[in-house]
Amino acid sequence: MSQQELNKSLGYFPLIALGVSGVVGSGWIYTNGSFFADYGAGGMIFGLALGSILAAFVALAYAQLTSLFPRAGGEVVFGYTLMGRRWGFWAGWLIIGAYVSSLAFYFTAFGNLMDRVLPFMHLIPLYEIAGEPVTLPVLISGVILTLLFLGLNYFGVSLGGQLQVLLFAALLFIGFCLVVVGFTQGSVDNFWPAFTDDQNPVTNIIRFIVPGMTYMAGFGLVATLAEDANLPPKKIGNLVVLTVLLAGSFYCIVLMSSAWILPWEEVAGMDQGTISAFTEAGFPLLGWGAFAIAILGLLTSFLGLYMATSRVIVAMARVELLPRSLAKLDPKRGTPKNALLCVSAITVALGWLGPGAIGWFLDTGGIYLGLVWVIVVLAQARLFKVFPHLAKKTRAGSRLLPTIGAVGAVLVILFALFPGSPKSLIWPAEYVILVLWFALGIFFYAVSSKRATITEDQALYDLLGEYKDTLEEVKVNPAATDTNFSTGDIKPDVS
């Protein structure tokens, strides 16, 4: 049985827009004041730059694997093809956990941000969870936003891509204005020295590397949407790395402008970071521009992650890691209608918990993403052993830099799990959520393994499509290894 493919309608610029703006969120531009206070302006900006470089190292592994297997689901494809069924499941399960947590957060964050211009958003409180009230207007705005993105994606990914390009262009334009005014009307003396006398520069930079890596969450979106792209596979792979570099540069330069326009120690005491900095410096219009970046960053991240989550679900359903019906595509539009409906339902259901409870889910998402990055780097390393003939066909043959990036990902996980660290999970709620998500994953994997009827050959065909043919050489290569895809075990060929 042949597997219907997604409609290839994303061009170069829509894919860049989806990738970069899928990384650039909203909170960073109005919370940087508190980070300046804790780490110094230099600690945040230089730490974020180093965190971006480590994320780019991981992105090199993504780039190599995406150029070989440009199929929907990215991490699921890499894990399943190179490490077996079990690893394919966990790559997908963890990335879904991270992405739906962010989507649910954006569900209420949009209404809460709009409260700045629409004061009625905080009226008609319905209930309170984790100390945060949930109001009717905020819930309605979240539902409308979710349905809007459902409609855009249902009628074709190109519509969402075109909207993303427009929003991304607006994001870049406003950022450009902030940077020009910040650097021309401000002074280097406002930024330097970038630390107070009681802050250790080296220590504070190192301390922010871990949260800096979490700022880059979502760069795998390009790999996840690879099947939607009408581009050569190698170019799609290169865009994964470019996404990280562009997003990291945008973060650092805009944040630098807010530490340039006023003395950064003053910005450190402001409630709304960059928004307040430009307003207090005498540029209220740019203060509103910074607020617009927060809104645009939220919308673009929501749209990008919404699309990516549906593709992860499709990839898992194709190989019966989730119900096969979730892989069904609309015959006319080539869009994953069932997966999109599934993502919408989960987003709305979790979104109704409100920002207090969703904050718990959002924090655990950092651990999921760190684990997925490690899985992808391990998959890249396995490529050299399982399919050496494929590894030789790509330029990104080095494993050293991705391994260094994976070490950074492990630090993200350890900082989150270790009680008392600056980024540790909240006890006990977030630890309970973490355990429950893994327990639920174990249950779904056991059920899917018991009910699976698909053969290994058909699974790889459905997952890889025409790119399955690139694996065939391994069958006649005595130096290669054999993978037991039903269990995920790797068996060396001793012939």
Side-chain angles (χ1 to χ4, degrees), residues 6 310-311 314 326 328-330 334-341:
L6 295 165
S310 67
R311 272 56 178 180
V314 167
L326 291 174
K328 186 176 181 180
L329 306 182
D330 184 276
T335 53
K337 57 180 182 180
N338 289 352
L340 290 170
L341 290 171

Side-chain angles (χ1 to χ4, degrees), residues 60-61 63-65 67 380 383-384 391 393-399 402:
L60 290 172
Q64 182 177 28
L65 298 178
S67 66
Q380 187 221 17
L383 173 71
F384 290 82
K393 293 181 179 180
T394 58
R395 291 181 299 173
S398 173
R399 285 171 282 179

